[in-house]
Amino acid sequence: MREARDVLILGTGIAGLSAAIVCREAGLDVLALSKADSPDETNTRYAQGGIIARKEGDDASALEADIQLAGCFYGKTEAIRRLAEEGPGLVFDFLMDKVGVTFSRDKSGGLDYTGEAAHSERRILHYEDRSGEAIQKALSAYALRIGVEIRPATTAIDLITNNHHSTDCQELYQEREVFGCFALDNASRRVDTILARCVVLATGGLGNIYQYTTNPPEATGDGIAMAHRAGADVINAEFVQFHPTTLYHKDIRRFLISESLRGEGARLMNASGEFFMDRYSELGELAPRDVVTRAIIEEMARQGTSYVLLDLANYYHGEQPIRERFRGIWSTCMEGGLDISRDPIPVTPAAHYFCGGVKVDEDGRSSIGRLYAVGEISCTGVHGANRLASTSLLEGLLWGLRAAARIVRDTVPIRSERLDAVPDWKYPVAAETVELALVYQDWNQIKMTMWNHAGIVRTRKGLERADADLSYHAHRIRKFYKDANLCRDLIELRNGLDVAQLVVGAALHNEHSIGCHYRTD
Ligand code: FAD
Ligand code: SIN
């Protein structure tokens, strides 16, 4: 007789671990997988600017209005209201008081709130410019302490559903439900069948389908692709947010230069030394991200340059020295010979955040039974057509906790004969060896296609070209996937292709320019 875990969580960032902690403390048995060698290697870990928190005098309706405006009034009203009302208090109750996350303080010992673009209030808590690292480490340590089982170097391959996988034909006629997933042990290449009463997808975003991204290599859209293959609704896939400012340096992979630099005064100038943002928005440097990104692209195109400059040194109005307030950015730039407390920073946009995702309700429930999605993988409706800075960590936290509460309340066991009807993974008969050079070549082509034709500025012709190019790769990659001995790189390639096709399909379908989906035709 097969056993099912109570809760299987795919992903160990803020969303996955927040859910894991609540489920575990309610007495459930929780297994959380991370495909990285370290479970702390997540997008969460790299967050710089910070997280929106409750601040005296800051009204929930003001935050709600800021999110709506940045999202071009395309978001889901109830979800935005929920985030604005329930979210900011959790930073104190859950992150600080329970889990023990530390945030930076000002000279008088009070919490140091910072500002970011399109916020009408300085309401963001941070830890220097390494807010994500502080949150990630505290969550992991707490989760391990209370007995969440975290299994690193394990890559989920596909969800197991009753309709798709059961050997009992009667399951075809039942409501679709998820019973677990197949997962690869990266080192031994063994594929395990992990059964669970419910599955929480918390696998993050898809930045790596673009040639230039702020995201770490793990962000390849795996959960979105898995959910879509299993038949879950995925919405708003055309809305990929590009961050306006990443370091342009020949020896350093695109590295985020946080929006909080502009929140603390930094100004953007073009190659002629002209401050240009006031020509594009009355909010200047603090206009929403999509506006700043397009302004930079236009200035670069007009002047034939690959970057613009961000001057922090001459405009910084914070109280701490720059090298302390922005310690992470300062030291990375120093490695490239650039002193941000003296020199302007060459910056250029890069893919940053997926505003679309697996469609979920107020408790993170997807359109498939027993399947939840939380964090960047999900589309709760909060971000609309463009995300407001520092809402993402908060959304992951709130929906992680809400999904967990629902799981604790609702999840019922799966009858043992239904579990027994799930077959184990079938390895290919004469498996091909994976040539990594070929995998990387395919990846490069997908990334280039997405960057050139489905990026910041889109046209019908470009998107059709992307669609055709991706279809050409799809046939070859899917065949290779079927015949090969699986490894993490190949699983990611197939998922990257699937989500690239989702983004292009949605972008072609939506002929209306709005937020970060911008079409010039
Ligand atoms: P992640 O933190 O990305 O975690 C995903 C997890 O899923 C990882 O553990 C990964 O290993 C695992 N995983 C993925 N695929 C698989 C698979 N197939 N099998 C098993 N495991 C898998 N937001 C803010 O609100 N404020 C900020 O200041 C901020 N700064 C940012 C700075 C940078 C550089 C970046 C990249 C993002 C930033 N964001 C910020 C966005 C925010 O960090 C992310 O949206 C958020 O952390 C996502 O959290 P998550 O829990 O959904 O996923
Ligand atoms: C940043 O620090 O600029 C990133 C903030 C975010 O993505 O919310």
Side-chain angles (χ1 to χ4, degrees), residues 60-274:
S61 60
L63 173 58
E64 190 183 329
D66 291 350
I67 297 175
Q68 286 281 17
L69 189 64
C72 307
F73 299 94
Y74 199 77
K76 180 175 170 188
T77 312
E78 305 90 77
I80 296 172
R81 186 156 303 150
R82 191 178 293 288
L83 182 90
E85 286 175 356
E86 292 177 25
L90 292 173
V91 176
F92 293 89
D93 301 344
F94 189 82
L95 287 185
M96 291 172 74
D97 297 347
K98 183 185 183 67
V99 174
V101 177
T102 304
F103 290 105
S104 290
R105 293 189 174 264
D106 58 24
K107 278 192 181 138
S108 57
L111 285 163
D112 184 40
Y113 288 88
T114 190
E116 278 183 306
H119 281 276
S120 57
E121 176 70 56
R122 288 171 69 86
R123 54 165 77 96
I124 297 149
L125 286 185
H126 64 98
Y127 178 72
E128 298 171 356
D129 59 357
R130 298 177 295 152
S131 312
E133 194 179 323
I135 293 172
Q136 180 69 47
K137 286 195 168 152
L139 281 169
S140 289
Y142 190 92
L144 285 171
R145 214 161 49 237
I146 61 168
V148 172
E149 185 186 343
I150 296 182
R151 196 179 293 172
T154 307
T155 307
I157 304 169
D158 257 320
L159 294 167
I160 295 169
T161 71
N162 57 337
N163 298 162
H164 286 120
H165 295 97
S166 179
T167 52
D168 175 2
C169 68
Q170 294 309 308
E171 291 286 1
L172 278 172
Y173 310 103
Q174 302 297 320
E175 182 206 340
R176 184 163 300 180
E177 288 181 286
V178 161
F179 287 176
C181 82
F182 295 115
L184 176 85
D185 177 323
N186 295 352
S188 69
R189 305 263 177 110
R190 188 189 66 241
V191 177
D192 292 322
T193 309
I194 305 177
L195 299 173
R197 291 175 180 183
C198 71
V199 176
V200 182
L201 291 170
T203 50
L206 48 63
N208 286 284
I209 63 173
Y210 287 92
Q211 192 180 4
Y212 301 111
T213 179
T214 60
N215 293 189
E218 281 67 32
T220 50
D222 295 7
I224 304 155
M226 281 189 266
H228 187 250
R229 287 194 294 268
D233 293 339
V234 173
I235 59 167
N236 286 3
E238 66 271 44
F239 299 111
V240 177
Q241 181 175 67
F242 288 75
H243 198 292
T245 56
T246 67
L247 179 66
Y248 181 86
H249 191 287
K250 68 178 176 41
D251 299 328
I252 301 175
R253 185 181 187 268
R254 290 290 186 270
F255 172 77
L256 184 74
I257 304 295
S258 174
E259 203 159 82
S260 50
L261 272 73
R262 279 175 282 133
E264 298 295 340
R267 300 208 59 193
L268 283 162
M269 58 191 179
N270 62 22
S272 326
E274 181 200 358

Side-chain angles (χ1 to χ4, degrees), residues 11-12 14-15 35 43-44 47-50 156 203 222 353 376 390 392-393:
T12 53
I14 189 168
K35 68 177 172 181
N43 271 21
T44 299
Q48 293 184 358
T203 50
D222 295 7
Y353 183 84
E376 189 167 339
S390 290
S392 164
L393 291 172

Side-chain angles (χ1 to χ4, degrees), residues 479-498:
K479 181 165 180 336
F480 184 37
Y481 173 86
K482 253 182 83 193
D483 298 336
N485 251 327
L486 282 190
C487 61
R488 175 179 152 182
D489 297 271
L490 187 54
I491 294 167
E492 290 177 333
L493 174 66
R494 174 193 182 223
N495 290 329
L497 171 75
D498 283 356

Side-chain angles (χ1 to χ4, degrees), residues 7-28:
V7 188
L8 170 63
I9 298 183
L10 308 185
T12 53
I14 189 168
L17 289 182
S18 302
I21 287 169
V22 174
C23 289
R24 182 70 201 120
E25 289 192 325
L28 299 181

